Amino acid sequence: MRYWSLLFLVTAALCVGSFVYAMFDPNWWLLHNVSVRSPLHFGAEIDRLTMLVLAITGAVFVLTMLALSWALWKYPASPGRVAQYSHGNHKLEIVWTLIPAVILVFLAFYQMGSWADIKFRSRRPKSAPLAQVTGRQFNWLVRYPGVDGKFGTTDDLHVINNLHIVKDQAVLIDLKSQDVLHSFFLPQIRLKQDAVPGMTIPVWFDVDTPGTYELVCAELCGWGHYKMRGLLTVHETQAEFNEWMTSALAEQNQTQPAGATAPDAQASDPATTATDPASSTVERS
Amino acid sequence: MSKKKSPASNSGPESIDLVATSHAPADPVSPGAAPTHQDHAHDHHEHPGPTNFLTRYVFATDHKVIGIQFLVSGLIFFIVGGLLALAVRWQLAWPWTRIPVLSSMMESQWQTKGQMPPEFYNKLFTMHASVMIFFVVIPILTGAFGNYLIPLMIGARDMAFPKLNMLSYWFMWPAFIVMLVSFTVPGGAAEAGWTAYPPLSVFRHSTPGSLNGQTLWLMGVLFAGVSSIMGSINYITTVLTLRAPGMKMFRMPMTVWSMFITALLQAFALPVLTSAIIMQLLDRTIGTNFFIPVGASVANEPGPVGGGQPLLFQHLFWFYSHPAVYIMILPAMGMVSDILSTFSRKPLFGYKPMVFAMAAIALLGFLVWGHHMFQSGMNPLLGATFMLSTMVIALPSAIKTFNWIGTLWGGSIQFTAAMLFATGFVAMFVIGGLSGIFMAATPIDIHIHDTYFIVGHLHYVLFGGSSFAIFAGLYYWFPKIFGRMLDERLGKIHFLLTFISFNCTFFLMHIIGLRGHPRRVANPYIYQFLDNPGVHFMNEFMTVSALLMGAAQLILIYNVLASLVAGKRAPDNPWRANTLEWATSSPPPHHNFATIPTVYHAAYEYSVPGEAEDFIPQTQPLANLAPSPALATSSHA
Ligand code: HEM
Ligand SMILES: [Cu+2]
Ligand SMILES: [Cu+2]
């Protein structure tokens, strides 16, 4: 029954095919990358590495599946057929150890530079942090230092679930958590960093296109984890950003006079949709 | 490696009475005839099994009965875990809609017209993974196959410590019970994922499942771990001391090698998990603060004063759990190696490189745990070194894959159900190994960490890998274990449907994960970038495929039950295989062998030129090759 080999061949073809199809369907594939033409362009870097690994692993996948299917096709049991008597082959063994070893070690070293740029603390922008982003079940609390440039003073601006930045400017964020783990995930920038209570973790990035982008919580943080959605708003110019900041501060002063503490996390929750059943245990004693 | 110089020097430690009766050296096996009871009337030691029902089937010390116990409870939990997974999939495809059966069952408790509450979704995936890992894959691979096969394959009468072996099974029961009971306690079952990261898992009010369920979860994992430790000590001792005369280390079949190396992994890694679990238990119960930092709190409670480190738990957990993923794949690799060789009628390609690759995986397995923590806040400098070690560990996996294909190459391949699943294992492991490289690359992992890409990866290695190997092993050893043949035709249909629906269920997860679909979210469509026809289609397609895959398992269940009752009687060696378990009856007698067999060569002498048969059991010398000097002294033939 050599025809079993076709099952493996067809499966391999469909696997490759689904990736090829996905690349042409914007509803399937990687999100439009908005960290490409900006100075840091981390998104472009990560996409480039992803495609490189995809090409290498794709080639290895196709070759091994071809070899496997071929062996199944070529050597089925049949009357009179005797298997070769062989315990192995040292030369082959060395070849197929060395080639993947070289590829894998190359891949590891090839990635180091980008990893360092994106995450090594020493590479962070020298500017002061633009904002603190704090995870708290199930919201992103954003705090800007206000006019005095210092966090924790009365003129701080508090925003919930919306981080505003300016196009093409490398921003530094201090990432924190008040309760459990969360993860700050911006899929359109290919950026992710867990937020850990007790730690302040610097995160830096930039965006090349103004607009609003979704901020995902990617680390399980409790019953409402799925709705811990935030937004990243990117302004075209610094002036536009300043305008937003002024009006937001004015609004804050209206609803709660300066000096009030951070707004209650439960306050507004843009993420909850009407169809969500409320947690049956929200109101615990 | 082997301490034994000649077969005659060993008949097992004399202190253990059940092996002391073996007279192997004085009782050579004549070439050409597999030894059975009848051939050896002069060596007629009775090894009657216990006659009492309780000691025979319940508190049994016979490794075969214990193996079957692990197998049965494992397969039952396979069904439980599978149903939990189907509910997860249903919610992802059609969020908040009524789920057949489940919604009706839970209606009064949920008070939501049959919509599952979000925390229930979290319970589903938490318990699905915990059940599958701790109650199904590890116990079936090591507990069931390890227990059943190790003594038979090395020619021993039982494990070195039969009572400990019995305890290792019965320690699973408290684990089973607390896990199942946890669904009924206030707050319900655990919700912190199988990884149980604090502080979510420690703060009692962080999520309903952390109220009480998490404590029970921790106790369950603790008991399962104790069971594994007992098993591993037993396996290590058994392999080192109870091998039959002539069974040098480098004559052992890959299955035994893999179980041996796995046992070593467990013995070294489990204590670390155990301490982590106990520390978390103490954090939850008496307020130690190993993992909770100063000031962190949920639900406006006062935060702790003394501070701990959430990342400490992750380090301890993954120091065990990365080796644990190899605990779940090495035995599978060993079993598949043996099955591929048998049905290719060809020696295993590169036996020693295969053993060394396995040893390398086990050693390197202790140096890569940080690859689960690249985005955790761990020092990124460490991430860079863990990337290198992780890339390197992919190497032995690649070597093994090439050797499996080398085994098929030039063979005379018999497409039995066991062989199909073993070949399926190889193909699926290729995908799982290659997807691992994306995540090993730290920059790429920034994007795909905690997305469905990870879920795709782990199911290709754990379902396409470990579980396919479990199926292969079941089709292969069922005749030995139960003395009945499984229906081959049903087996092939089962393979075909499982293979297709498996790939339809899990392959698209890579694509959806690259898009950014996070894992562990009860309703992905909260996010606009996921609320589009493409993602809806993929999620629904995966769910329908998963339902079909579940349905396909009914064929296996039917096949097993029907064959147990009315299957064809199995001959002693239905697959014409070489290893020792086929040299005794099906099923084997109480102490396995009427006479302890003598081993003359490694397990893979298939299609030896000039031999009458295309297989030469390990109990039979090669006619055309001069026996090794060590063997010549003991061979009376
Ligand atoms: C070729 C070798 C492999 C490589 C390079 C590799 C790499 C990785 C990496 C880097 C991760 C972490 C990804 C992340 O969370 O961002 C991961 C996750 C995982 N791997 Fe592998 N892996 C390999 C083989 C295996 C095998 C053989 C198994 C099990 C049989 C396995 C099971 C898992 C599981 C269960 C997870 C997910 C854990 C979780 O977060 O729940 N992997 N793998
Ligand atoms: Cu979250
Ligand atoms: Cu790992």
Side-chain angles (χ1 to χ4, degrees):
Chain A
M1 267 305 283
R2 57 163 45 158
Y3 294 103
W4 284 108
S5 68
L6 296 181
L7 179 67
F8 293 92
L9 199 62
V10 171
T11 304
L14 288 177
C15 288
V16 174
S18 64
F19 258 87
V20 173
Y21 171 80
M23 286 181 201
F24 291 100
D25 187 336
N27 280 335
W28 283 41
W29 195 233
L30 283 162
L31 291 173
H32 177 63
N33 192 334
V34 293
S35 173
V36 176
R37 293 178 310 278
S38 51
L40 295 176
H41 60 267
F42 293 156
E45 199 53 24
I46 289 173
D47 278 5
R48 186 177 65 81
L49 294 171
T50 308
M51 290 309 131
L52 174 76
V53 173
L54 188 60
I56 294 176
T57 53
V60 174
F61 174 64
V62 168
L63 291 178
T64 26
M65 290 302 279
L66 279 177
L68 179 69
S69 312
W70 174 250
L72 295 178
W73 176 262
K74 188 79 199 305
Y75 305 108
S78 57
R81 194 193 144 72
V82 183
Q84 291 162 17
Y85 179 69
S86 151
H87 282 280
N89 181 324
H90 279 292
K91 264 197 210 122
L92 261 181
E93 214 75 59
I94 290 170
V95 169
W96 69 39
T97 305
L98 282 185
I99 294 179
V102 169
I103 297 178
L104 288 165
V105 172
F106 159 76
L107 273 181
F109 283 103
Y110 191 70
Q111 316 268 342
M112 295 279 185
S114 316
W115 173 247
D117 286 342
I118 302 173
K119 294 262 173 162
F120 277 20
R121 310 272 152 95
S122 54
R123 307 285 169 92
R124 70 171 164 222
K126 299 291 168 275
S127 55
L130 174 77
Q132 286 179 350
V133 176
T134 306
R136 168 171 166 165
Q137 288 182 330
F138 300 100
N139 289 285
W140 296 105
L141 312 183
V142 182
R143 174 199 283 245
Y144 288 89
V147 260
D148 65 354
K150 290 202 193 86
F151 290 106
T153 50
T154 50
D155 71 338
D156 287 5
L157 171 65
H158 299 277
V159 192
I160 293 183
N161 290 325
N162 209 338
L163 173 65
H164 289 251
I165 66 167
V166 183
K167 177 188 136 178
D168 284 340
Q169 274 184 17
V171 293
L172 179 64
I173 303 289
D174 276 345
L175 188 61
K176 302 170 172 228
S177 166
Q178 281 186 4
D179 42 28
V180 299
L181 301 178
H182 303 275
S183 191
F184 180 88
F185 178 26
L186 290 167
Q188 287 197 257
I189 297 157
R190 319 286 189 250
L191 185 75
K192 189 178 290 115
Q193 175 60 53
D194 287 5
V196 184
M199 292 174 82
T200 301
I201 302 175
V203 175
W204 56 99
F205 59 94
D206 57 10
V207 178
D208 64 16
T209 318
T212 30
Y213 306 102
E214 289 181 291
L215 166 62
V216 180
C217 177
E219 183 68 59
L220 177 64
C221 58
W223 66 267
H225 165 54
Y226 71 100
K227 59 175 183 171
M228 188 160 160
R229 168 179 180 264
L231 291 175
L232 171 71
T233 306
V234 181
H235 294 278
E236 174 78 54
T237 58
Q238 182 70 41
E240 197 184 304
F241 175 85
N242 292 345
E243 215 171 281
W244 163 78
M245 178 81 110
T246 327
S247 69
L249 270 171
E251 199 181 319
Q252 174 171 307
N253 288 337
Q254 227 168 38
T255 48
Q256 46 185 158
T261 45
D264 185 52
Q266 261 67 278
S268 79
D269 194 351
T272 321
T273 65
T275 46
D276 293 350
S279 166
S280 50
T281 38
V282 190
E283 348 75 303
R284 278 182 305 266
S285 53
Chain B
M1 189 111 200
S2 168
K3 290 191 296 293
K4 280 114 210 145
K5 289 187 184 54
S6 86
S9 69
N10 174 42
S11 57
E14 253 60 34
S15 56
I16 295 172
D17 60 19
L18 55 91
V19 281
T21 50
S22 95
H23 289 198
D27 186 43
V29 183
S30 52
T36 62
H37 311 238
Q38 295 86 339
D39 298 341
H40 297 281
H42 61 281
D43 183 36
H44 209 84
H45 294 276
E46 279 297 320
H47 296 292
T51 43
N52 177 315
F53 177 84
L54 218 57
T55 47
R56 183 165 182 162
Y57 295 114
V58 184
F59 298 105
T61 52
D62 182 342
H63 73 99
K64 297 186 293 300
V65 180
I66 298 170
I68 294 171
Q69 289 172 331
F70 269 112
L71 184 65
V72 172
S73 50
L75 291 177
I76 289 173
F77 274 102
F78 209 151
I79 300 174
V80 174
L83 292 174
L84 293 171
L86 292 183
V88 168
R89 279 304 333 164
W90 187 283
Q91 167 76 6
L92 286 175
W94 305 289
W96 317 128
T97 57
R98 289 185 64 96
I99 300 182
V101 188
L102 185 68
S103 284
S104 319
M105 268 169 56
M106 305 296 292
E107 188 129 32
S108 57
Q109 204 183 323
W110 289 348
Q111 302 172 325
T112 52
K113 296 200 231 89
Q115 298 180 326
M116 76 164 72
E119 69 268 22
F120 190 81
Y121 176 83
N122 295 7
K123 294 182 199 309
L124 286 175
F125 67 71
T126 299
M127 297 309 276
H128 159 68
S130 311
V131 162
M132 287 300 194
I133 289 170
F134 297 115
F135 292 175
V136 179
V137 176
I138 296 180
I140 293 188
L141 284 176
T142 63
F145 286 113
N147 239 314
Y148 201 93
L149 295 174
I150 292 174
L152 278 167
M153 286 184 131
I154 62 171
R157 297 218 180 275
D158 204 325
M159 287 286 177
F161 311 117
K163 290 228 169 61
L164 187 68
N165 204 15
M166 174 189 85
L167 273 182
S168 93
Y169 179 69
W170 288 105
F171 260 77
M172 287 304 287
W173 274 85
F176 295 158
I177 291 168
V178 288
M179 285 279 190
L180 290 178
V181 164
S182 75
F183 276 99
T184 63
V185 296
E191 282 167 34
W194 80 280
T195 48
Y197 282 178
L200 181 66
S201 53
V202 171
F203 287 135
R204 298 189 70 217
H205 294 293
S206 61
T207 199
S210 290
L211 203 57
N212 300 301
Q214 185 66 25
T215 306
L216 294 176
W217 185 93
L218 289 166
M219 284 164 53
V221 175
L222 198 59
F223 277 113
V226 172
S227 155
S228 287
I229 284 269
M230 292 182 188
S232 72
I233 302 295
N234 218 341
Y235 299 171
I236 295 170
T237 317
T238 305
V239 170
L240 286 180
T241 60
L242 295 188
R243 277 167 291 132
M247 180 61 89
K248 301 175 182 167
M249 290 299 269
F250 277 108
R251 284 179 178 174
M252 297 196 307
M254 286 308 290
T255 303
V256 178
W257 265 114
S258 67
M259 299 289 176
F260 177 63
I261 293 175
T262 303
L264 286 171
L265 273 177
Q266 282 185 315
F268 283 103
L270 259 165
V272 179
L273 177 75
T274 310
S275 11
I277 295 281
I278 290 177
M279 286 156 91
Q280 195 181 108
L281 263 175
L282 294 177
D283 269 10
R284 286 181 55 82
T285 49
I286 63 168
T288 55
N289 280 311
F290 291 114
F291 305 132
I292 308 299
V294 184
S297 78
V298 296
N300 296 321
E301 289 172 340
V305 277
Q309 253 293 348
L311 291 192
L312 175 61
F313 180 82
Q314 298 187 23
H315 281 292
L316 296 175
F317 180 83
W318 288 115
F319 186 84
Y320 163 76
S321 286
H322 183 82
V325 307
Y326 289 110
I327 289 167
M328 293 186 273
I329 201 75
L330 291 183
M333 290 173 161
M335 286 158 46
V336 162
S337 303
D338 285 350
I339 294 170
L340 287 178
S341 171
T342 303
F343 291 118
S344 301
R345 314 310 294 163
K346 197 167 161 278
L348 186 67
F349 200 91
Y351 169 67
K352 279 199 183 173
M354 289 289 244
V355 174
F356 293 139
M358 238 181 220
I361 290 180
L363 282 177
L364 287 170
F366 282 105
L367 301 178
V368 299
W369 79 89
H371 66 212
H372 296 275
M373 300 172 61
F374 286 147
Q375 321 310 333
S376 68
M378 175 179 77
N379 187 339
L381 208 61
L382 271 176
T385 58
F386 278 120
M387 159 157 62
L388 188 59
S389 57
T390 304
M391 289 287 182
V392 172
I393 206 173
L395 183 60
S397 308
I399 296 173
K400 295 194 80 77
T401 307
F402 298 141
N403 277 297
W404 287 320
I405 297 176
T407 305
L408 296 170
W409 204 272
S412 172
I413 299 169
Q414 300 169 341
F415 292 96
T416 58
M419 180 63 167
L420 288 171
F421 271 110
T423 324
F425 168 97
V426 176
M428 300 298 93
F429 183 73
V430 170
I431 298 183
L434 290 175
S435 62
I437 294 177
F438 287 80
M439 295 132 52
T442 46
I444 304 175
D445 185 68
I446 296 175
H447 181 58
I448 58 181
H449 171 67
D450 265 329
T451 67
Y452 256 82
F453 195 94
I454 311 301
V455 182
H457 163 74
L458 72 92
H459 283 92
Y460 266 89
V461 282
L462 284 178
F463 199 129
S466 313
S467 306
F468 273 29
I470 288 175
F471 290 142
L474 197 59
Y475 283 104
Y476 187 67
W477 280 294
F478 189 92
K480 181 54 63 183
I481 299 176
F482 297 108
R484 302 269 190 178
M485 302 300 287
L486 281 172
D487 186 316
E488 271 292 313
R489 212 166 52 103
L490 285 180
K492 286 175 196 170
I493 298 173
H494 172 229
F495 167 74
L496 182 68
L497 296 180
T498 306
F499 186 80
I500 294 174
S501 51
F502 166 78
N503 281 290
C504 291
T505 306
F506 293 108
F507 195 77
L508 293 180
M509 288 186 183
H510 299 112
I511 292 172
I512 220 168
L514 278 177
R515 187 176 176 81
H517 193 308
R519 64 195 282 207
R520 296 173 168 173
V521 287
N523 179 9
Y525 308 116
I526 287 277
Y527 294 103
Q528 267 161 27
F529 72 94
L530 294 173
D531 195 9
N532 73 42
V535 174
H536 276 276
F537 169 79
M538 283 192 271
N539 267 331
E540 286 164 26
F541 182 80
M542 290 190 272
T543 298
V544 171
S545 306
L547 290 167
L548 289 176
M549 185 161 66
Q553 305 319 307
L554 296 176
I555 303 175
L556 176 67
I557 296 174
Y558 170 80
N559 197 354
V560 165
L561 295 180
S563 303
L564 278 179
V565 183
K568 218 170 69 190
R569 293 242 172 243
D572 289 356
N573 190 358
W575 314 121
R576 300 157 57 82
N578 286 346
T579 39
L580 291 185
E581 77 274 27
W582 307 106
T584 185
S585 58
S586 298
H590 180 60
H591 276 155
N592 296 346
F593 301 94
T595 316
I596 291 291
T598 302
V599 173
Y600 294 95
H601 50 79
Y604 301 108
E605 296 303 330
Y606 289 104
S607 304
V608 184
E611 294 280 345
E613 295 280 0
D614 70 350
F615 70 112
I616 303 164
Q618 286 187 282
T619 51
Q620 185 180 318
L622 296 169
N624 287 349
L625 299 178
S628 69
L631 284 167
T633 57
S634 71
S635 171
H636 299 225

